[in-house]
Amino acid sequence: MSSAAALLLRPTSATTHPLLHLPSPKSFVLRLHPSRRRLPVPRLSLTPTTSSNSNNSPPLPSPPHPSPEPAAPPSLVANWSPPRAIWRGLSALLLAGQVFHRVLTGRVHRRNLLAQLRRVGPGSAGVALLTAAFVGMAFTIQFVREFTRLGLHRSVGGVLALALARELSPVVTAVVAAGRVGSAFAAELGTMQVSEQTDTLRVLGANPVDYLVVPRVLACVLALPVLTLISFALGLASSAFLADSVFGVSVSIILESARRALRPWDLISSLLKSQVFGAIIAVVSCAWGVTTHGGAKGVGESTTSAVVVSLVGVFIADFALSCLFFQGAGDSLKYAMG
């Protein structure tokens, strides 16, 4: 047993007691005077104190802290993201490639394709035909007035037929389809995207491209040429009716002039243009729909943007195809005059 025991405490007041002996003002040691024996009381301290018996060795140096490495300068493209229009355009190209591959391999949902055909064809026929009729009559007013003054009233039918077949009918039909069908495609797919219904299709094992995109693209490619032909026929008929009833140019003169001016290639080029326009409208609308985010506001923005981009694409494609199909000087009006 140790011969001495002490309890190091911090003094609170200068007091005296017959059993306590205070050796110093900084600390006191508990001593038992009656028995003169020091009990083995462990030394406690609430605050670190310096011991008189401690070695006078210097404190161990702390390990040096590693100096922080200098931060690398921020890269110019670290936080850069491409504009939304760029990656949407790339997604449209990628989607077009997927649709083309699935059509070649025969992966087409036929029942959904028939439903979309009824929607694009008969569902849009009324608006397309009404628009074509009034466009034909508006052009008739301008052509008949000017050509009659020049004594070229026999060539009015040929000019109207060429304008309707080569440009007006496919472009007007495409504009109507973009406004009616393209906006519906973008809104539907955008709503499915923001509500995660496309993810549900993937969980169920169905590919959204096969089930949603391919039928819509094929429906536009197949239905727009038919609508274009009907619009051309109705536009020419309304033009002949207006020329006969208002300006006194016989219907037979209009139709005979149109028959002489038209060539099979004029109608074939019109059908090819309609197919290209239908593909542009469907692919752009579907691509803008499946890349929608932001809730109801994002759906509205995607729908508006899809219609605008589709129309711009239609006009650009019309110019490119016209330059490709009709090169050099033409002689169609020479035959239209009889």
Side-chain angles (χ1 to χ4, degrees):
M1 244 182 114
S2 173
S3 60
L7 180 65
L8 183 63
L9 299 174
R10 185 73 61 183
T12 58
S13 63
T15 59
T16 58
H17 194 275
L19 296 179
L20 295 176
H21 175 66
L22 300 177
S24 66
K26 297 278 182 152
S27 61
F28 60 87
V29 180
L30 179 64
R31 302 179 185 276
L32 299 179
H33 286 276
S35 61
R36 293 293 184 181
R37 298 185 63 182
R38 297 176 181 176
L39 300 177
V41 180
R43 184 179 296 272
L44 301 176
S45 177
L46 300 179
T47 58
T49 58
T50 58
S51 173
S52 60
N53 297 329
S54 61
N55 297 330
N56 294 326
S57 61
L60 296 177
S62 60
H65 296 285
S67 60
E69 297 181 358
S75 176
L76 295 178
V77 295
N79 298 324
W80 182 83
S81 60
R84 193 176 183 185
I86 294 179
W87 65 263
R88 270 187 159 175
L90 295 177
S91 67
L93 294 177
L94 179 61
L95 191 64
Q98 292 178 345
V99 171
F100 184 72
H101 177 264
R102 281 162 171 78
V103 171
L104 291 181
T105 55
R107 297 166 60 181
V108 179
H109 198 277
R110 291 176 175 80
R111 184 168 58 183
N112 200 6
L113 173 60
L114 294 177
Q116 297 301 326
L117 279 174
R118 288 193 297 268
R119 180 182 188 182
V120 177
S124 304
V127 180
L129 296 180
L130 185 65
T131 305
F134 280 97
V135 168
M137 289 189 291
F139 273 81
T140 301
I141 295 173
Q142 304 301 326
F143 289 158
V144 172
R145 290 179 68 253
E146 302 301 329
F147 278 53
T148 303
R149 291 180 182 179
L150 297 175
L152 300 175
H153 61 279
R154 289 186 175 273
S155 62
V156 173
V159 173
L160 288 173
L162 291 177
L164 289 172
R166 294 179 178 180
E167 298 297 333
L168 293 179
S169 295
V171 172
V172 168
T173 305
V175 170
V176 172
R180 189 184 186 281
V181 179
S183 60
F185 288 172
E188 289 174 356
L189 297 184
T191 304
M192 296 181 69
Q193 180 67 23
V194 298
S195 61
E196 299 181 355
Q197 296 183 35
T198 54
D199 297 333
T200 305
L201 288 176
R202 294 187 182 94
V203 171
L204 295 176
N207 194 326
V209 177
D210 298 341
Y211 187 78
L212 299 175
V213 179
V214 175
R216 286 171 166 80
V217 175
L218 281 181
C220 288
V221 171
L222 297 177
L224 253 66
V226 179
L227 288 177
T228 300
L229 281 180
I230 300 175
S231 299
F232 166 73
L234 184 60
L236 188 60
S238 62
S239 299
F241 172 76
L242 183 65
D244 186 20
S245 60
V246 176
F247 298 99
V249 181
S250 176
V251 174
S252 60
I253 295 177
I254 298 292
L255 296 182
E256 181 64 20
S257 177
R259 185 189 67 81
R260 291 175 179 272
L262 284 177
R263 294 291 180 267
W265 176 245
D266 296 327
L267 296 178
I268 293 174
S269 64
S270 178
L271 299 181
L272 293 177
K273 281 186 176 183
S274 298
Q275 288 184 324
V276 174
F277 297 163
I280 291 174
I281 293 170
V283 170
V284 169
S285 300
C286 293
W288 260 241
V290 298
T291 55
T292 301
H293 60 83
K297 181 180 179 181
V299 173
E301 292 177 352
S302 295
T303 303
T304 305
S305 178
V307 174
V308 173
V309 174
S310 298
L311 293 178
V312 173
V314 164
F315 297 144
I316 294 175
D318 179 57
F319 169 76
L321 293 176
S322 296
C323 292
L324 180 64
F325 293 158
F326 308 105
Q327 296 180 356
D331 56 355
S332 297
L333 289 180
K334 180 178 66 175
Y335 299 103
M337 298 179 65

Coordinates of all heavy atoms in Angstrom, one line a residue, residues 244-313:
D244 N -65.6 29.9 -113.6 CA -66.8 29.9 -114.5 C -67.9 30.8 -113.9 O -68.5 31.5 -114.7 CB -67.2 28.4 -114.6 CG -68.4 28.3 -115.6 OD1 -68.5 29.2 -116.4 OD2 -69.1 27.3 -115.5
S245 N -68.1 30.8 -112.6 CA -69.3 31.5 -112.1 C -69.0 33.0 -111.9 O -69.9 33.8 -112.0 CB -69.6 30.9 -110.7 OG -68.5 31.0 -109.8
V246 N -67.8 33.4 -111.7 CA -67.5 34.8 -111.4 C -66.8 35.5 -112.6 O -67.2 36.6 -113.0 CB -66.6 34.9 -110.2 CG1 -66.1 36.4 -110.0 CG2 -67.2 34.3 -109.0
F247 N -65.9 34.9 -113.3 CA -65.1 35.5 -114.3 C -65.5 35.1 -115.7 O -64.9 35.6 -116.7 CB -63.6 35.3 -114.1 CG -63.1 35.8 -112.8 CD1 -62.9 35.0 -111.7 CD2 -62.8 37.2 -112.7 CE1 -62.5 35.5 -110.5 CE2 -62.3 37.7 -111.5 CZ -62.2 36.9 -110.4
G248 N -66.4 34.1 -115.8 CA -66.8 33.7 -117.2 C -65.9 32.8 -117.9 O -66.1 32.7 -119.2
V249 N -64.9 32.2 -117.3 CA -64.0 31.3 -118.0 C -64.6 29.9 -117.8 O -64.8 29.4 -116.7 CB -62.6 31.4 -117.4 CG1 -61.7 30.4 -118.2 CG2 -62.0 32.8 -117.5
S250 N -64.9 29.2 -118.9 CA -65.5 28.0 -118.9 C -64.8 26.9 -118.1 O -63.5 26.9 -118.1 CB -65.8 27.5 -120.3 OG -66.4 26.2 -120.3
V251 N -65.5 26.0 -117.5 CA -64.9 24.9 -116.7 C -64.1 24.0 -117.7 O -63.0 23.5 -117.3 CB -66.0 24.1 -115.9 CG1 -65.4 22.9 -115.3 CG2 -66.6 25.0 -114.9
S252 N -64.7 23.8 -118.8 CA -64.0 22.9 -119.8 C -62.6 23.5 -120.2 O -61.6 22.7 -120.4 CB -64.9 22.7 -121.0 OG -65.1 23.9 -121.7
I253 N -62.5 24.8 -120.3 CA -61.3 25.4 -120.7 C -60.3 25.2 -119.6 O -59.1 24.9 -119.8 CB -61.5 26.9 -121.0 CG1 -62.3 27.1 -122.3 CG2 -60.2 27.6 -121.2 CD1 -62.7 28.5 -122.6
I254 N -60.7 25.4 -118.3 CA -59.8 25.2 -117.2 C -59.3 23.8 -117.1 O -58.1 23.6 -117.0 CB -60.5 25.6 -115.9 CG1 -61.0 27.1 -115.9 CG2 -59.7 25.3 -114.7 CD1 -59.8 28.1 -115.9
L255 N -60.2 22.8 -117.2 CA -59.8 21.4 -117.1 C -58.9 21.0 -118.3 O -57.9 20.2 -118.1 CB -61.0 20.6 -116.9 CG -61.8 20.8 -115.7 CD1 -63.0 19.8 -115.7 CD2 -61.0 20.7 -114.4
E256 N -59.2 21.5 -119.5 CA -58.4 21.1 -120.6 C -57.0 21.7 -120.5 O -56.0 21.0 -120.9 CB -59.1 21.6 -121.9 CG -58.3 21.2 -123.2 CD -58.2 19.7 -123.4 OE1 -59.0 18.9 -122.8 OE2 -57.3 19.3 -124.2
S257 N -56.9 22.9 -120.1 CA -55.6 23.5 -119.9 C -54.8 22.8 -118.8 O -53.6 22.6 -119.0 CB -55.8 25.0 -119.5 OG -54.6 25.6 -119.3
A258 N -55.5 22.4 -117.8 CA -54.8 21.7 -116.7 C -54.3 20.3 -117.2 O -53.2 19.9 -116.9 CB -55.7 21.5 -115.5
R259 N -55.1 19.6 -118.0 CA -54.7 18.3 -118.5 C -53.5 18.4 -119.4 O -52.6 17.6 -119.4 CB -55.9 17.7 -119.3 CG -55.6 16.3 -119.8 CD -56.7 15.8 -120.7 NE -56.7 16.6 -122.0 CZ -55.9 16.3 -123.0 NH1 -55.0 15.4 -122.9 NH2 -56.0 17.1 -124.1
R260 N -53.4 19.5 -120.2 CA -52.3 19.7 -121.1 C -51.0 20.0 -120.4 O -49.9 19.7 -120.8 CB -52.6 20.8 -122.2 CG -53.6 20.4 -123.2 CD -53.9 21.6 -124.1 NE -54.9 21.2 -125.1 CZ -54.6 20.7 -126.3 NH1 -53.3 20.4 -126.6 NH2 -55.6 20.4 -127.2
A261 N -51.1 20.8 -119.3 CA -50.0 21.3 -118.5 C -49.4 20.2 -117.6 O -48.1 20.2 -117.4 CB -50.3 22.5 -117.8
L262 N -50.2 19.4 -117.0 CA -49.7 18.4 -116.0 C -49.0 17.3 -116.7 O -49.3 16.8 -117.8 CB -50.9 17.9 -115.2 CG -51.5 18.8 -114.1 CD1 -52.6 18.2 -113.5 CD2 -50.4 19.2 -113.1
R263 N -47.9 16.8 -116.0 CA -47.2 15.7 -116.4 C -47.2 14.7 -115.2 O -47.4 15.1 -114.1 CB -45.7 16.0 -116.7 CG -45.6 16.9 -117.9 CD -45.9 16.1 -119.2 NE -45.8 16.9 -120.4 CZ -46.7 17.6 -120.9 NH1 -48.0 17.6 -120.4 NH2 -46.5 18.3 -122.0
P264 N -47.0 13.4 -115.5 CA -47.0 12.4 -114.3 C -46.0 12.8 -113.3 O -46.3 12.5 -112.1 CB -46.7 11.1 -115.0 CG -47.2 11.3 -116.4 CD -46.9 12.7 -116.8
W265 N -44.9 13.3 -113.7 CA -43.9 13.6 -112.7 C -44.4 14.7 -111.7 O -43.9 14.8 -110.5 CB -42.6 14.1 -113.3 CG -41.5 14.5 -112.4 CD1 -41.0 15.8 -112.2 CD2 -40.9 13.7 -111.4 NE1 -40.1 15.8 -111.2 CE2 -40.0 14.5 -110.7 CE3 -41.0 12.4 -111.0 CZ2 -39.2 14.1 -109.7 CZ3 -40.2 11.9 -110.0 CH2 -39.3 12.8 -109.3
D266 N -45.2 15.6 -112.1 CA -45.8 16.6 -111.2 C -46.5 16.0 -110.1 O -46.3 16.4 -108.9 CB -46.7 17.6 -112.0 CG -45.9 18.4 -113.1 OD1 -44.8 18.7 -112.9 OD2 -46.5 18.6 -114.1
L267 N -47.3 15.0 -110.3 CA -48.1 14.4 -109.3 C -47.2 13.5 -108.4 O -47.3 13.4 -107.2 CB -49.2 13.5 -109.9 CG -50.3 14.3 -110.6 CD1 -51.4 13.4 -111.1 CD2 -50.9 15.4 -109.6
I268 N -46.2 12.8 -109.1 CA -45.3 12.0 -108.3 C -44.4 12.8 -107.4 O -44.2 12.4 -106.2 CB -44.4 11.2 -109.3 CG1 -45.2 10.2 -110.1 CG2 -43.3 10.4 -108.5 CD1 -44.5 9.4 -111.2
S269 N -44.0 13.9 -107.8 CA -43.2 14.8 -107.0 C -44.0 15.3 -105.8 O -43.5 15.5 -104.7 CB -42.6 16.0 -107.8 OG -43.7 16.8 -108.3
S270 N -45.3 15.6 -106.1 CA -46.2 16.0 -105.0 C -46.3 14.9 -103.9 O -46.3 15.2 -102.7 CB -47.5 16.4 -105.6 OG -48.4 16.8 -104.5
L271 N -46.5 13.7 -104.3 CA -46.6 12.6 -103.4 C -45.3 12.4 -102.6 O -45.3 12.1 -101.4 CB -47.0 11.3 -104.1 CG -48.3 11.3 -104.9 CD1 -48.5 10.0 -105.5 CD2 -49.4 11.7 -103.9
L272 N -44.1 12.5 -103.3 CA -42.9 12.3 -102.6 C -42.7 13.5 -101.5 O -42.2 13.2 -100.4 CB -41.7 12.3 -103.6 CG -41.6 11.1 -104.5 CD1 -40.5 11.3 -105.5 CD2 -41.5 9.8 -103.7
K273 N -43.0 14.7 -101.9 CA -42.9 15.8 -101.0 C -43.8 15.5 -99.7 O -43.4 15.8 -98.6 CB -43.4 17.1 -101.6 CG -42.3 17.7 -102.5 CD -42.8 19.1 -103.0 CE -41.7 19.8 -103.8 NZ -42.2 21.1 -104.2
S274 N -45.0 15.0 -100.0 CA -45.9 14.7 -98.9 C -45.4 13.7 -97.9 O -45.5 13.8 -96.7 CB -47.3 14.3 -99.4 OG -47.9 15.3 -100.2
Q275 N -44.7 12.7 -98.4 CA -44.1 11.7 -97.6 C -43.0 12.3 -96.7 O -42.9 12.0 -95.5 CB -43.6 10.5 -98.4 CG -44.7 9.6 -99.0 CD -44.2 8.4 -99.7 OE1 -43.2 8.5 -100.4 NE2 -44.9 7.3 -99.6
V276 N -42.2 13.1 -97.4 CA -41.1 13.7 -96.6 C -41.6 14.6 -95.6 O -41.2 14.7 -94.4 CB -40.1 14.4 -97.6 CG1 -39.1 15.2 -96.8 CG2 -39.5 13.4 -98.5
F277 N -42.6 15.4 -95.9 CA -43.3 16.3 -94.9 C -43.9 15.6 -93.8 O -43.8 16.0 -92.6 CB -44.3 17.2 -95.6 CG -43.8 18.1 -96.7 CD1 -44.6 18.7 -97.6 CD2 -42.4 18.4 -96.8 CE1 -44.1 19.5 -98.6 CE2 -41.9 19.2 -97.8 CZ -42.8 19.8 -98.7
G278 N -44.6 14.5 -94.1 CA -45.2 13.7 -93.0 C -44.1 13.1 -92.1 O -44.3 13.1 -90.8
A279 N -43.0 12.6 -92.6 CA -42.0 12.1 -91.8 C -41.4 13.2 -90.9 O -41.1 13.0 -89.7 CB -40.9 11.5 -92.6
I280 N -41.2 14.4 -91.4 CA -40.6 15.5 -90.6 C -41.5 15.9 -89.5 O -41.1 16.0 -88.3 CB -40.3 16.7 -91.6 CG1 -39.2 16.4 -92.5 CG2 -40.0 18.0 -90.7 CD1 -38.9 17.5 -93.5
I281 N -42.8 16.0 -89.8 CA -43.8 16.4 -88.8 C -43.9 15.4 -87.7 O -43.8 15.7 -86.5 CB -45.2 16.6 -89.4 CG1 -45.1 17.8 -90.4 CG2 -46.3 16.8 -88.4 CD1 -46.4 17.9 -91.2
A282 N -43.9 14.1 -88.0 CA -44.1 13.0 -87.0 C -42.8 12.9 -86.2 O -42.9 12.8 -84.9 CB -44.5 11.7 -87.7
V283 N -41.7 12.9 -86.8 CA -40.4 12.7 -86.1 C -40.2 13.8 -85.1 O -39.8 13.6 -84.0 CB -39.3 12.4 -87.0 CG1 -37.9 12.5 -86.3 CG2 -39.4 11.1 -87.7
V284 N -40.3 15.1 -85.6 CA -40.1 16.2 -84.8 C -41.1 16.3 -83.6 O -40.7 16.5 -82.5 CB -40.1 17.5 -85.6 CG1 -40.2 18.7 -84.7 CG2 -39.0 17.6 -86.6
S285 N -42.3 16.0 -83.9 CA -43.3 16.1 -82.8 C -43.1 15.0 -81.8 O -43.2 15.3 -80.6 CB -44.7 15.9 -83.4 OG -45.0 16.9 -84.3
C286 N -42.8 13.8 -82.2 CA -42.5 12.7 -81.2 C -41.2 13.0 -80.5 O -41.2 12.7 -79.2 CB -42.4 11.4 -81.9 SG -44.0 10.8 -82.7
A287 N -40.2 13.5 -81.1 CA -38.9 13.8 -80.4 C -39.1 14.9 -79.4 O -38.6 14.8 -78.3 CB -37.8 14.1 -81.5
W288 N -39.8 15.9 -79.8 CA -40.1 17.0 -78.8 C -40.9 16.5 -77.7 O -40.8 17.0 -76.5 CB -40.7 18.2 -79.5 CG -39.8 19.3 -79.9 CD1 -39.8 20.5 -79.4 CD2 -38.6 19.2 -80.7 NE1 -38.8 21.3 -80.0 CE2 -38.1 20.5 -80.8 CE3 -38.1 18.2 -81.5 CZ2 -36.9 20.7 -81.6 CZ3 -37.0 18.4 -82.3 CH2 -36.4 19.7 -82.3
G289 N -41.8 15.5 -77.9 CA -42.7 15.0 -76.9 C -41.9 14.2 -75.9 O -42.1 14.3 -74.7
V290 N -41.1 13.3 -76.3 CA -40.4 12.4 -75.4 C -39.2 13.1 -74.7 O -38.7 12.5 -73.8 CB -39.8 11.1 -76.2 CG1 -40.9 10.3 -76.8 CG2 -38.8 11.5 -77.3
T291 N -38.8 14.3 -75.1 CA -37.8 15.0 -74.4 C -38.4 16.1 -73.5 O -37.7 17.1 -73.2 CB -36.8 15.6 -75.4 OG1 -37.5 16.4 -76.4 CG2 -36.0 14.5 -76.1
T292 N -39.7 16.0 -73.2 CA -40.4 17.1 -72.4 C -40.0 16.9 -70.9 O -40.0 15.7 -70.4 CB -41.9 17.0 -72.6 OG1 -42.2 17.2 -74.0 CG2 -42.6 18.0 -71.8
H293 N -39.9 17.9 -70.2 CA -39.7 17.9 -68.8 C -40.2 19.3 -68.2 O -40.2 20.3 -68.9 CB -38.3 17.7 -68.3 CG -37.3 18.7 -68.8 ND1 -37.1 19.9 -68.2 CD2 -36.5 18.7 -69.9 CE1 -36.2 20.6 -68.8 NE2 -35.8 19.9 -69.9
G294 N -40.6 19.3 -67.0 CA -41.1 20.5 -66.4 C -42.6 20.6 -66.2 O -43.1 21.7 -66.0
G295 N -43.3 19.5 -66.2 CA -44.7 19.5 -65.9 C -45.6 20.0 -67.0 O -45.2 20.0 -68.2
A296 N -46.7 20.6 -66.6 CA -47.7 21.1 -67.6 C -47.1 22.3 -68.4 O -47.3 22.4 -69.6 CB -48.9 21.6 -66.8
K297 N -46.2 23.1 -67.8 CA -45.6 24.2 -68.5 C -44.7 23.6 -69.6 O -44.6 24.1 -70.7 CB -44.8 25.1 -67.6 CG -44.2 26.3 -68.3 CD -43.4 27.1 -67.2 CE -42.7 28.3 -67.9 NZ -41.9 29.1 -67.0
G298 N -43.9 22.6 -69.3 CA -43.0 22.0 -70.2 C -43.8 21.3 -71.4 O -43.3 21.4 -72.5
V299 N -45.0 20.8 -71.1 CA -45.8 20.2 -72.2 C -46.3 21.3 -73.2 O -46.2 21.1 -74.4 CB -47.0 19.4 -71.6 CG1 -47.9 18.9 -72.7 CG2 -46.5 18.2 -70.8
G300 N -46.7 22.4 -72.6 CA -47.1 23.5 -73.5 C -46.0 24.0 -74.4 O -46.2 24.3 -75.6
E301 N -44.8 24.2 -73.7 CA -43.7 24.7 -74.5 C -43.2 23.7 -75.6 O -42.9 24.1 -76.7 CB -42.5 25.0 -73.6 CG -42.8 26.1 -72.6 CD -41.6 26.4 -71.6 OE1 -40.7 25.5 -71.6 OE2 -41.6 27.4 -70.9
S302 N -43.2 22.4 -75.3 CA -42.9 21.4 -76.2 C -43.8 21.3 -77.4 O -43.4 21.2 -78.6 CB -42.8 20.0 -75.6 OG -41.7 20.0 -74.6
T303 N -45.1 21.5 -77.1 CA -46.1 21.4 -78.2 C -46.0 22.6 -79.1 O -45.9 22.5 -80.4 CB -47.5 21.5 -77.6 OG1 -47.7 20.4 -76.7 CG2 -48.6 21.4 -78.6
T304 N -45.8 23.8 -78.6 CA -45.6 25.0 -79.4 C -44.3 24.9 -80.2 O -44.3 25.2 -81.4 CB -45.6 26.3 -78.6 OG1 -46.8 26.3 -77.8 CG2 -45.5 27.5 -79.4
S305 N -43.3 24.5 -79.6 CA -42.0 24.4 -80.3 C -42.0 23.3 -81.3 O -41.4 23.5 -82.4 CB -40.9 24.1 -79.2 OG -39.6 23.9 -79.9
A306 N -42.7 22.2 -81.1 CA -42.8 21.1 -82.1 C -43.5 21.6 -83.4 O -43.1 21.3 -84.5 CB -43.5 19.9 -81.5
V307 N -44.6 22.4 -83.2 CA -45.3 22.9 -84.4 C -44.4 23.9 -85.2 O -44.3 23.8 -86.4 CB -46.6 23.5 -84.0 CG1 -47.3 24.2 -85.1 CG2 -47.5 22.5 -83.3
V308 N -43.7 24.8 -84.5 CA -42.9 25.8 -85.1 C -41.8 25.1 -85.9 O -41.5 25.4 -87.1 CB -42.4 26.8 -84.1 CG1 -41.4 27.7 -84.8 CG2 -43.6 27.6 -83.5
V309 N -41.1 24.2 -85.2 CA -39.9 23.5 -85.8 C -40.4 22.7 -87.0 O -39.7 22.6 -88.0 CB -39.2 22.7 -84.8 CG1 -38.1 21.9 -85.5 CG2 -38.6 23.6 -83.7
S310 N -41.5 22.0 -86.9 CA -42.1 21.2 -88.0 C -42.4 22.1 -89.2 O -42.0 21.7 -90.3 CB -43.3 20.5 -87.5 OG -43.1 19.6 -86.5
L311 N -43.0 23.2 -89.0 CA -43.3 24.1 -90.1 C -42.0 24.6 -90.8 O -41.9 24.7 -92.0 CB -44.2 25.2 -89.7 CG -45.6 24.9 -89.2 CD1 -46.3 26.1 -88.7 CD2 -46.4 24.2 -90.3
V312 N -41.0 25.0 -90.0 CA -39.8 25.4 -90.6 C -39.1 24.3 -91.4 O -38.6 24.5 -92.5 CB -38.9 26.0 -89.5 CG1 -37.5 26.3 -90.0 CG2 -39.5 27.2 -88.8
G313 N -39.1 23.1 -90.8 CA -38.6 22.0 -91.5 C -39.3 21.7 -92.8 O -38.7 21.3 -93.8

